[in-house]
């Protein structure tokens, strides 16, 4: 979603800003822009990719202070005019803004009635006019921004550039911003990883914070003018440069990174002899694990599907009631929070607005919430305070792949850990740990020989819609397969528990309709076979994901075997062909596989 980068120092700003924009590209966006202070403020903005912006930039833009933005449209269409930065009428102030201003239309009407001319349809533009008017009224830059924000209802990650002041003013409320500290230079970004090539020393702004950046100084304050916490954090984990290597797309690269990513997630987090998981970051003793009344897991999209797998593992292995919740529903349904329950916020980016809001709601009501997060130092990770990083490494493709497997693995480790603190025997625990540790090699084995994916793609790329079915832990895998194909290949897909199929989705089936069935050799297998027969009786063609050596293969029109494993861990293997099917179908349909239309990598608005 929208990205922010800013620089003030001694170097020429524009190359740093453009480089930062490239690092933010993976978040998803539809236009980009840059503003550099050089006497006046020169602004260049363009719909399309950062490369499109670069194509219109002058060879050299003089100036050592500037801000830049990637926009993911919310208010107003995808046009050059709506791209950020936005400037005051006299061009003396420019802003970039992430977030949503809820009372923008009232403020716009008011400003227009006083003669202000707007150049865009965005909600953000009101900010620049308010700030400009405050400056005209005699306020200093920081005060002008603070006063403007007092009139705003909504969320912001905001940076303001002034033609007549050597400073960038930044403010955060609900949309992340991190300040980078250099030698005689300062940076600001929405994503710490845009800063790590320049500095590891950062200050994470909190909601309600403002920061005034000058070349050699950073001053933070609160909305009421009081001092803000300006603890300097050193980012230890630098994300590798986003390089494709031998792969044509990030999605394929990340699918193939799963064995190694999974090893990073589980290494050092198992005690084989004790047959237990060891997620030390949760900060929960066996006694505390015994007392947990129930577990709630919260996430969106792929993370939600990982939660749905995790909740089954927890109930099965620990006999503790567990539920998975859609974060956007959870936060607004005035949830009853039980202080004896344990809540998990699951997120790859750690910036998903709905999940972050759910965390705050839980904490406000006295609940304990732990993060299961990929991005170190992200907003949700910091808000939770403790949890387990999933260590997938950078995930650049919008379609989440390796984060899913690692979320499932981290939650499985927790299920074993809480299980062992309660009813799970040592022998059972040891078998589970042994099986989990064997999964990375099995993923490698599968990816080396992925089966008849091309046949499945030939069938799916002609489909009007696709139904994905599974039972037990395979029901969320079916949903994940549907989400993946839908988001990258734009084919309407439904992911359903197989038993629910006859209550509605069966109406979609006609001669040749593709149905993808996930049917590992677990306790649900025979019931799933019945669902397959119900589909076939209506002319459906079955793409069957099954475990190697299982005679169920005969029930598929196209059967794709994956290595067999403990029934708790089958999602780590059955999801692989679904990821490959989505990827190759998107390619067959000529879709932009890494940057699907309308989608953003981190969804920082509600
Ligand atoms: O960063 P998060 O894990 O919180 O993101 C949640 C969803 O936005 C994300 O999983 C989305 O559904 C992906 N595009 C799925 O591939």
């Amino acid at each position: 979603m929208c990205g922010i980068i800013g620089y003030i120092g001694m170097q020429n700003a524009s190359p740093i800003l453009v480089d930062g924009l490239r690092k933010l590209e993976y978040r998803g966006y539809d236009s980009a822009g840059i503003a550099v202070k050089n006497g006046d403020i020169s602004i260049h903005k363009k719909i399309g990719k950062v490369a499109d912006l670069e194509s219109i930039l002058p060879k050299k833009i003089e100036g050592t202070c500037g801000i830049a933005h990637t926009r993911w449209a919310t208010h107003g269409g995808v046009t050059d005019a709506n791209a950020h930065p936005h400037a005051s009428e006299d061009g003396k102030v420019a802003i970039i803004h992430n977030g949503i201003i809820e009372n923008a239309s009232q403020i716009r009407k008011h400003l227009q009635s006083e003669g202000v001319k707007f150049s865009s349809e965005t909600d953000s533009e009101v900010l620049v006019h308010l700030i400009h008017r405050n400056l005209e009224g005699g306020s200093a830059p920081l005060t002008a921004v603070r006063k403007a924000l007092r009139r705003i209802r909504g969320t912001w990650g905001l940076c303001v550039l002034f033609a007549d002041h050597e400073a960038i003013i930044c403010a955060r409320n609900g949309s992340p911003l991190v300040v980078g500290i250099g030698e005689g230079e300062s940076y600001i970004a929405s994503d710490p990883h845009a800063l790590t090539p320049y500095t590891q020393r950062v200050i994470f702004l909190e909601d309600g914070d403002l920061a005034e950046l000058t070349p050699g100084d950073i001053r933070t304050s609160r909305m009421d003018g009081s001092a803000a916490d300006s603890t300097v954090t050193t980012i230890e984990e630098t994300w590798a440069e986003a390089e494709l290597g031998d792969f044509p797309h990030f999605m394929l690269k990340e699918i193939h990174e799963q064995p190694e990513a999974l090893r990073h997630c589980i290494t050092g987090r198992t005690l084989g002899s004790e047959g237990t998981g060891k997620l030390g970051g949760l900060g929960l003793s066996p006694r505390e694990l015994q007392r947990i009344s129930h577990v709630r897991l919260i996430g969106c999209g792929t993370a939600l599907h990982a939660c749905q797998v995790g909740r089954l593992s927890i109930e099965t292995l620990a006999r503790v009631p567990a539920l998975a919740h859609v974060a956007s529903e959870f936060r607004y349904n005035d949830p009853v929070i039980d202080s004896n329950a344990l809540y998990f916020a699951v997120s790859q980016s750690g910036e998903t607005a709905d999940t972050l809001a759910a965390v705050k709601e839980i904490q406000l009501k006295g609940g304990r919430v732990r993060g299961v997060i990929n991005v170190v130092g992200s907003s949700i990770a910091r808000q939770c305070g403790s949890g387990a990083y999933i260590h997938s490494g950078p995930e650049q493709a919008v379609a989440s792949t390796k984060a899913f497997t690692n979320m499932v693995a981290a939650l499985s480790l927790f299920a074993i850990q809480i299980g062992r603190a309660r009813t799970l025997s040592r022998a059972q625990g040891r078998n589970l740990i042994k099986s989990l540790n064997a999964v990375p090699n099995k993923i490698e084995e599968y990816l080396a020989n992925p089966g008849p994916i091309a046949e499945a793609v030939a069938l799916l790329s002609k489909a009007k819609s696709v139904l994905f079915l599974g039972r037990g832990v395979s029901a969320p895998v079916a949903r994940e397969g549907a989400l993946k194909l839908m988001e990258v290949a734009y084919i309407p897909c439904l992911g359903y528990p197989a038993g629910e199929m006859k209550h509605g989705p069966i109406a979609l089936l006609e001669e040749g309709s593709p149905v993808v069935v996930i049917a590992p050799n677990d306790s649900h297998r025979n019931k799933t076979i019945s669902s397959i027969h119900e589909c076939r009786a209506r002319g459906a063609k079955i793409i069957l994901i099954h475990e190697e050596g299982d005679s169920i293969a005969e029930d598929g029109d196209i059967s794709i075997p994956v290595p067999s494993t403990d029934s708790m861990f089958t999602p780590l293997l059955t999801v692989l062909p679904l990821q490959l099917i989505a990827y190759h179908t998107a390619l067959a349909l000529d879709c932009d596989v890494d940057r699907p239309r309308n989608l953003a990598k981190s969804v920082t608005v509600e």
Side-chain angles (χ1 to χ4, degrees), residues 491-528:
I491 299 173
C493 295
L494 276 182
Y496 250 74
E500 269 294 286
M501 192 250 320
K502 57 189 173 296
H503 298 288
I506 198 165
L508 294 176
L509 300 183
E510 51 190 30
E511 202 53 44
S513 299
V515 178
V516 181
V517 182
I518 297 97
N521 193 0
D522 59 17
S523 59
H524 302 280
R525 172 187 180 274
N526 293 346
K527 295 279 174 214
T528 308

Side-chain angles (χ1 to χ4, degrees), residues 300-303 347-350 352 398-400 407 483-484 487 603:
C300 303
T302 290
S347 172
Q348 186 287 128
S349 63
T352 301
V398 164
S400 191
M407 285 167 183
L483 172 64
K484 218 85 309 176
E487 71 179 331
V603 183

